[in-house]
Structures are given as C-alpha cells and as structure tokens.
Amino acid sequence: NDSLSVTTHLQVQVTYKRPKKSFFSGTGKTVTGVHIAYWFAEQNKTKKSLKLLKKETSETECDGAHKSPPQVIYCGPSNKSVDVVTELLLKMPDLKVLRVYSDQIEQKEFPIPNKLKPARTTRSDDELKISSDQIRSVSLHHVIRGPECPHSEELRKYEEGFAQCKAMKETIGQKEVADYRKVIGLAEKWALQESGVQIILCTCAASGSPRIVSSCDNIQQCIVDECGMCMEPESLVPITCSGAKQVVLIGDHKQLQPVIQDHVAKTLGLSVSMFERHSKRATMLELQYRMHDGICEFPSRQFYDGKLRTADVVKSRAPSPISFWPAQRKLPIVFCHVEGQEESAAIATSESNEESKRNMKEVHKAVQIAKHLVNRYVAHVQKSDVVILSPYREQRSKITELLKGAYEDIKVTTITKSQGSEWDYVIISLVRSVNRDEIDPEPSLSWLREHLGFLTDEHQMNVGLTRARRGLCIIGNRYLLELDPAWKSLIEHYEKNGCLVNEDWPRS
C-alpha cells in the first residue's frame, strides 16, 4: 500500500512476530492496524480448529480442543472508531469479518418483545445508527438473519408472528419470547464459530459480552485501536476476556485521553491509559501523510520532540492556490488575534449546557473567514473541504446557526469529536477571552483553570492543530493565551514566521 511508510511496513512485519504498539498523528495508525489484522488472519489459516481435528483424529483425541477457528478480535473505544476499521477491512481480499454491536443497537432494529426499555436513553439516535449498508451486511444481527444462517428462517417466523400480535394488540407469551431468544443464541453461536469468520470487530465494552466470551474460545490476537482514549480497565476487557496470545495497542497518548468525570478517580490515575503507561515501549510511526509541512512543524516540535516528519508525497503536492495567508502560499498558517467578550450559555439545551461558553466576536470572525475561503477560491475550495472547530459546544451551536442555508455544508464540530478526522482547511475558535486590564500578569493555577478551561489541555490542543491538510487558521485572544506555556510557544512560532495578524484580516 503506497500510503504506508517504510517505518509502517517495519511495524507490520515486527508485530506479525510479537506484540508491539504504535502512535503519531496522520501517520496511518489505523491503516497499519488493518494490515496487522489482515496478516494475523493469514497466519491463523495455518492453525487448526476442532472441525479440522475431527476429520484428522478420533473423537477422544479432540477433548479440550477449541470449538471456534483461530480468530482475531479488533476493538476500539467507540462504535465510530470500530466502524472505520470495519470499512477498511471489507476492502481486503478473501477476508471474512463480523461486526458485533451492543444489545441497544441491535434491538433498535430487532426489538425483543416484552423487554422493558430504559426510562431515559443515554445515547442519541445518531449514535445508535449503523453508519453504512456495507457494515450492516457484516453485522452479527443481520448475518444471523441472512440466507447462509441455518436459523434465519426460524427467526423470520418468530418475528413475523410478533409483528402480527403487535398489530392485533395481542399479548406475546413469555415462553415464546424465551424460545425466540434461544434461537438467537444458537444463530449467534453459528455466526461466531461456524461461519468462517476470521476477524471479530466490536467496542472494548462489547468484547466482554457472554456471547463473545462463550463462543470465541480460540482468539489468537487482540488489537485495541485508539487505545490512548480508553480507560485502562476498558482496555483490559478485550485483553483478559479474549485470552489472546498476542496483544497490539494502537494509539497516540499525546492526543485525547480517557474522559473521566470523577475528580478523585482522575487524581488516582484513571485518566492514564494503558497505552500511555506503556508508551516508552512503543514503535513510532514517524512519517505523517496529512499536514502541509508548515502545519506539521509546530506540533512535531511541541508534542513529539521533533520526530514527526512529513512524507515526500505530501511535500510534492501541487502548490495551493490560496494566497490569503500572511506568509503567502509558503506557510499556510495564521493566528488571528481577536479580543472578544466571553459569555456563559444562559440555559441548558440539547446543543449545549450551562457550563458552556460562547464568544460572538469570534463566531462572526470564524464565519467570515470560512465564507471568504469558499467564495474567493470557489474554483478550488468546496464547502465540505472546510471545518470550524471549537472546544465549546455553545460556540459550535452559534456558528452553526450563522451558517444555515447556503453555507451549511461547512462542517462545525467540537475539537474532541474531530479526533480521527481531517479536512483541507481548519478554522479553530478558542472562545476564552478576558479584558486586557483584567489579565493577571502572574496568574495562579486556579486563575488559569478558571479563565482558560479546556485550553490548558495540551491533548486537545494537539488534536485541533493536527486536523488540517492544507491550511490552519486559529482565532483567539493572544494576551490571555500567552499565559499558558504551550500557547505562548505557538504564538511565538507564528509571530516569528509572520503569521500573527489582527482582527482586520483577511482583507477583501
């Protein structure tokens, strides 16, 4: 694969022999993980399952043999992260994969009769959707209802009967439901053990479900993707439940950490992922294929000790036609200094909460820059090429409102939700602002936490700064931000390169 670096090829070969770990942004971590999974599956073809042993030996010699074939389990912290991997694996030749979702997602499509629903749903409809028809076709709850499954016809009859009872408002008996569940269990066992599945994909939490643990008794390798975002106990679920002989952790401990709400748990170290704990043993993927060299320079120095390098294929891209950068086409970065008024969200809504923040001056500046990009360079920049990021949901909500209509194809999201994604042009609105005469020249840690909030989190900072392929624009109050060492370093870098501007930029 041309998108893999020499270092990445080395990573695939090394991991094929023994467990390893990898990280770095835009370096093809997920693609590397997909290739590792593929070669593990190829390696497993040489190993024998109970079915093969029965053909070659007597029944008594098979005692204690595995019921399922040698398999790989591939996990991640979220459905989104696992779905991305699933789509990539589906492009691999001669590979059979199975995507296993949670009961909540499966029962949204195929509800179990008489089952009490939770009084309050914890996940939105979007989170319960399967992202594509391609993934749906390899998901466990669809596979067991497909033509290859020997139990599909029986399941169909039960479900048609339940639908008729519901239409006629008749009660469905508990015995009938129990029998239906039993058939589902047999069908799932068939899918996991006898359908020839080589790679099972699920979230870390789902990997501990009884159906996977009881049916998949011959898992050889366990891969945990985005491991830097998983709590340590979360990573331990697939590792311990699978009993895998080899474990691969893939992630970037310099980007988003596990989300821990409880302050005591955080203080006691729950926010330190297993990946971060073992990061000194990691194999580093040093070539990045996303960012223009000028965008990569600061994150590489600040977060990766200068080891993150830009691939030649990125350096040899055609010159950008965008000329509104202060340093012209040579350096497609800018920090736009805006002294706005920070406000807290007045009411709780589905889009934001009471703790969220907005800065209307930055809202208008972000929208102006985005419109300028797509209007002035209409032949080169599509609306979908541009994203506006912010640490705050209230800011995202206000920007989205102003883009409704002709500009709604310009994506607006939070920095945390942008991890793993990339766009040609990224505009970041940092929101936090204080009047210059109110800024404490020697601030305490509590003052910084109060007035900078999320912005003191270097993991979020790193994510925001590494999403752009061709151009990056940051909007914020330099006088406040300079009180934080990391942001001070960034502003000095931008100023030194002539990329620090005031709010009258860009000029029409």
Side-chain angles (χ1 to χ4, degrees):
N1 187 318
D2 291 337
S3 67
L4 292 175
S5 67
V6 174
T7 313
T8 306
H9 278 303
L10 176 63
Q11 169 68 9
V12 174
Q13 290 165 6
V14 169
T15 310
Y16 183 72
K17 294 174 184 173
R18 59 191 177 89
K20 280 281 179 179
K21 295 166 274 292
S22 66
F23 66 91
F24 285 154
S25 65
T27 54
K29 295 186 296 292
T30 299
V31 174
T32 304
V34 166
H35 280 74
I36 291 169
Y38 174 80
W39 286 112
F40 275 153
E42 286 293 301
Q43 182 189 46
N44 289 343
K45 285 179 182 177
T46 63
K47 297 173 183 175
K48 294 176 181 178
S49 64
L50 175 63
K51 201 172 181 182
L52 285 171
L53 283 168
K54 277 185 177 177
K55 288 181 181 178
E56 298 170 9
T57 63
S58 69
E59 199 72 36
T60 53
E61 288 176 55
C62 292
D63 290 345
H66 299 290
K67 295 173 186 175
S68 59
Q71 293 170 324
V72 182
I73 190 163
Y74 201 124
C75 303
S78 65
N79 282 311
K80 179 189 170 186
S81 65
V82 180
D83 285 346
V84 168
V85 173
T86 306
E87 288 188 322
L88 290 171
L89 282 169
L90 285 170
K91 295 174 183 175
M92 293 287 194
D94 305 318
L95 189 65
K96 193 154 188 180
V97 304
L98 187 69
R99 176 70 170 94
V100 182
Y101 285 95
S102 66
D103 289 346
Q104 195 177 4
I105 290 175
E106 292 184 348
Q107 289 168 26
K108 187 173 170 60
E109 289 188 78
F110 301 100
I112 302 288
N114 304 341
K115 187 175 180 182
L116 289 174
K117 292 182 180 178
R120 184 181 170 191
T121 55
T122 55
R123 295 156 84 182
S124 67
D125 284 346
D126 277 351
E127 288 177 306
L128 296 175
K129 277 181 187 170
I130 295 175
S131 56
S132 74
D133 289 339
Q134 207 179 9
I135 293 176
R136 188 176 283 104
S137 70
V138 295
S139 60
L140 176 62
H141 57 298
H142 282 273
V143 168
I144 64 173
R145 291 169 173 87
E148 290 182 14
C149 179
H151 305 280
S152 60
E153 186 59 26
E154 196 173 356
L155 285 175
R156 186 184 63 78
K157 285 177 183 175
Y158 271 112
E159 285 157 6
E160 283 177 356
F162 295 151
Q164 285 174 4
C165 288
K166 189 177 179 182
M168 297 173 72
K169 297 184 179 177
E170 293 179 359
T171 305
I172 299 167
Q174 287 300 105
K175 184 182 182 305
E176 206 173 354
V177 174
D179 290 343
Y180 171 60
R181 281 178 175 270
K182 200 174 286 182
V183 177
I184 288 175
L186 291 170
E188 289 177 342
K189 192 173 182 180
W190 168 84
L192 290 162
Q193 287 186 355
E194 299 174 44
S195 67
V197 164
Q198 297 162 276
I199 302 175
I200 296 156
L201 298 115
C202 59
T203 60
C204 292
S207 69
S209 65
R211 58 186 171 182
I212 292 179
V213 175
S214 62
S215 296
C216 304
D217 65 345
N218 195 13
I219 289 174
Q220 299 291 311
Q221 302 91 7
C222 171
I223 301 172
V224 184
D225 203 356
E226 294 291 2
C227 190
M229 291 176 68
C230 298
M231 289 185 289
E232 195 157 26
E234 194 179 359
S235 299
L236 283 169
V237 174
I239 293 169
T240 55
C241 290
S242 70
K245 296 175 177 65
Q246 290 176 293
V247 175
V248 181
L249 308 181
I250 300 173
D252 185 347
H253 61 292
K254 298 289 187 177
Q255 297 207 356
L256 294 184
Q257 291 179 299
V259 177
I260 310 295
Q261 303 289 356
D262 187 86
H263 181 67
V264 176
K266 198 169 185 178
T267 305
L268 292 172
L270 197 58
S271 62
V272 179
S273 66
M274 179 180 286
F275 189 91
E276 184 171 356
R277 208 177 289 284
H278 294 283
S279 59
K280 287 182 181 175
R281 297 169 56 195
T283 297
M284 302 178 183
L285 305 185
E286 296 175 355
L287 281 184
Q288 65 88 16
Y289 295 86
R290 177 185 300 151
M291 299 170 277
H292 181 285
D293 208 18
I295 300 171
C296 176
E297 184 182 354
F298 178 80
S300 175
R301 192 183 72 218
Q302 183 71 23
F303 307 115
Y304 301 110
D305 300 322
K307 293 176 183 175
L308 189 60
R309 296 175 289 115
T310 303
D312 288 340
V313 68
V314 176
K315 291 179 181 179
S316 60
R317 280 178 190 158
S320 171
I322 311 302
S323 59
F324 79 159
W325 308 105
Q328 298 299 309
R329 293 180 179 87
K330 184 181 73 172
L331 208 53
I333 58 173
V334 61
F335 184 98
C336 184
H337 169 59
V338 172
E339 292 185 58
Q341 185 67 45
E342 173 194 308
E343 304 169 87
S344 291
I347 55 170
T349 69
S350 61
E351 289 298 311
S352 60
N353 57 39
E354 289 179 333
E355 299 300 314
S356 199
K357 307 281 183 186
R358 63 173 173 253
N359 182 325
M360 293 309 296
K361 201 167 187 180
E362 285 193 20
V363 167
H364 291 290
K365 176 53 68 176
V367 169
Q368 179 211 345
I369 293 168
K371 288 182 176 180
H372 183 92
L373 255 176
V374 297
N375 290 336
R376 184 166 177 182
Y377 304 98
V378 66
H380 306 285
V381 182
Q382 306 291 314
K383 294 182 181 77
S384 57
D385 295 335
V386 181
V387 71
I388 303 176
L389 303 179
S390 177
Y392 292 94
R393 289 182 291 167
E394 176 68 7
Q395 188 79 344
R396 179 199 66 187
S397 180
K398 293 298 175 189
I399 293 169
T400 302
E401 283 176 22
L402 288 189
L403 290 172
K404 274 182 182 171
Y407 295 95
E408 60 191 24
D409 285 345
I410 294 173
K411 175 95 173 163
V412 187
T413 190
T414 58
I415 290 173
T416 53
K417 285 193 175 177
S418 74
Q419 176 150 325
S421 301
E422 58 184 49
W423 295 266
D424 279 354
Y425 301 97
V426 173
I427 301 162
I428 304 175
S429 171
L430 297 175
V431 181
R432 304 309 297 264
S433 191
V434 175
N435 291 331
R436 216 185 304 183
D437 57 2
E438 295 174 16
I439 292 176
D440 188 342
E442 295 180 4
S444 63
L445 283 174
S446 59
W447 191 96
L448 287 172
R449 275 197 298 268
E450 181 186 348
H451 294 285
L452 283 170
F454 293 136
L455 304 189
T456 60
D457 182 352
E458 288 194 24
H459 298 85
Q460 271 207 52
M461 180 184 183
N462 186 12
V463 172
L465 297 179
T466 54
R467 299 305 96 200
R469 287 187 287 253
R470 295 180 176 273
L472 174 64
C473 171
I474 304 166
I475 304 166
N477 182 336
R478 67 170 292 186
Y479 300 118
L480 174 62
L481 291 164
E482 282 174 336
L483 297 176
D484 177 82
W487 285 107
K488 183 180 182 183
S489 180
L490 178 136
I491 291 164
E492 285 173 352
H493 172 77
Y494 277 54
E495 190 168 28
K496 177 184 167 187
N497 286 285
C499 300
L500 181 63
V501 298
N502 289 319
E503 57 192 66
D504 57 352
W505 178 90
R507 295 176 180 84
S508 300

